[in-house]
């Protein structure tokens, strides 16, 4: 990690800070779900993401807040492992994630730099341990995987999307100039429910959690 303080938008901050509590709400950027809507919501797809360490999440979230079109930014900064698991199998998904996290130490991930999404920018990540965990989970979830989730993991965190190519190219160049490789940690897994735009957080699973 760079030893100098943050001087430009793409540089990794050297100081540690507490993560903001923006993600604490049950529903991210959505109105509270009415009780009458829960029956429908319970059938909605489930999303699995890596739970980043607080400093890393705050840094990526700041970039996303700064560069993602506000009216289209309905979810927090995230590292997706599975995009659409069946909501009706939530109990089985939860038990599988709990079992997978037991005995697993926090996972180190290398941030390899910004890359183009065409109409946005994401940061590439690399971690053999994360990829192995994801393969193990894919085996467990294999009967339910969509075509997208059957593909190999390409870990990344998106900080901008759904903008014009020129705007995306300008940000990519700015981030590339200032980028220095650094490492972050995944401290567990997060399970979300997709609500047609916003996500509702279902549960967090810490790595190394003791067996019940």
């Amino acid at each position: 990690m760079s030893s100098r303080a943050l001087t430009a938008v793409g540089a990794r901050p050297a100081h540690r800070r507490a993560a903001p509590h923006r993600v604490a709400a049950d529903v991210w950027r959505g109105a509270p779900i009415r009780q009458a809507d829960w029956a429908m919501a319970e059938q909605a797809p489930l999303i699995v993401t890596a739970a980043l360490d607080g400093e890393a999440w705050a840094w990526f979230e700041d970039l996303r807040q700064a560069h993602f079109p506000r009216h289209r930014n309905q979810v927090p900064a995230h590292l997706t492992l599975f995009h659409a698991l069946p909501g009706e199998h939530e109990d089985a998904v939860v038990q599988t994630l709990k079992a997978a996290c037991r005995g697993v130490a926090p996972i180190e991930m290398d941030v390899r730099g910004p890359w183009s999404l065409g109409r946005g920018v994401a940061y590439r990540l690399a971690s053999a341990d994360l990829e192995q965990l994801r393969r193990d989970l894919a085996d467990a979830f294999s009967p339910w995987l969509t075509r997208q989730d059957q593909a190999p993991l390409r870990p990344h965190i998106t900080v901008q999307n759904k903008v014009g190519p020129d705007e995306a190219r300008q940000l990519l160049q700015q981030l590339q100039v200032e980028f220095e490789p650094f490492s972050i940690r995944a401290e567990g897994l997060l399970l979300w429910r997709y609500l047609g735009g916003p996500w509702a957080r279902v549960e967090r699973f810490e790595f190394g959690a003791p067996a019940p």
Side-chain angles (χ1 to χ4, degrees):
M1 184 173 71
S2 171
S3 61
R4 60 187 176 88
L6 178 64
T7 57
V9 68
R12 169 69 164 171
H15 62 281
R16 297 197 62 83
R17 58 176 175 168
H21 296 290
R22 288 181 290 238
V23 77
D26 289 336
V27 179
W28 182 267
R29 294 202 183 284
I33 302 175
R34 296 172 301 176
Q35 187 169 0
D37 294 333
W38 274 115
M40 183 178 297
E42 288 173 356
Q43 302 302 311
L46 298 167
I47 300 163
V48 180
T49 67
L52 306 180
D53 70 84
E55 182 187 3
W57 179 82
W59 188 75
F60 286 112
E61 177 64 8
D62 285 348
L63 281 175
R64 187 177 175 99
Q65 291 286 339
H67 300 292
F68 209 104
R70 183 167 296 275
H71 65 288
R72 294 189 173 185
N73 188 19
Q74 301 193 68
V75 299
H78 55 276
L79 169 52
T80 303
L81 302 182
F82 295 95
H83 298 81
L85 297 174
E88 62 269 25
H89 294 298
E90 179 184 326
D91 289 345
V93 170
V94 166
Q95 292 307 313
T96 298
L97 295 178
K98 284 182 178 178
C101 289
R102 292 182 194 128
V104 176
I107 293 176
E108 294 291 323
M109 300 179 288
D110 294 329
V111 181
R112 294 288 176 85
W115 62 293
S116 174
L117 299 176
R119 292 183 173 271
V121 178
Y123 279 81
R124 296 169 295 175
L125 294 95
S127 170
D129 290 339
L130 181 69
E131 292 182 16
Q132 182 60 57
L133 175 62
R134 204 273 184 182
R135 284 194 294 269
D136 293 342
L137 287 171
D139 288 343
F141 295 143
S142 59
W144 303 329
L145 296 184
T146 63
R147 180 171 296 182
Q148 182 180 21
D149 284 336
Q150 289 172 1
L153 178 67
R154 297 178 61 190
H156 65 277
I157 300 174
T158 300
V159 297
Q160 182 194 60
N161 208 355
K162 303 176 183 177
V163 302
D166 290 342
E167 183 178 349
R169 191 178 306 111
Q170 181 179 4
L171 178 63
L172 177 64
Q173 292 172 349
Q174 183 180 3
L175 297 180
Q176 286 176 331
V177 167
E178 296 298 329
F179 179 73
E180 297 178 8
F182 60 95
S183 297
I184 62 175
R185 292 189 316 279
E187 297 181 338
L189 300 175
L190 290 166
L191 182 64
W192 307 81
R193 191 174 294 279
Y194 176 70
L195 301 178
W199 298 357
R201 190 166 68 179
V202 176
E203 193 165 344
R204 178 180 173 118
F205 310 91
E206 299 290 344
F207 289 146

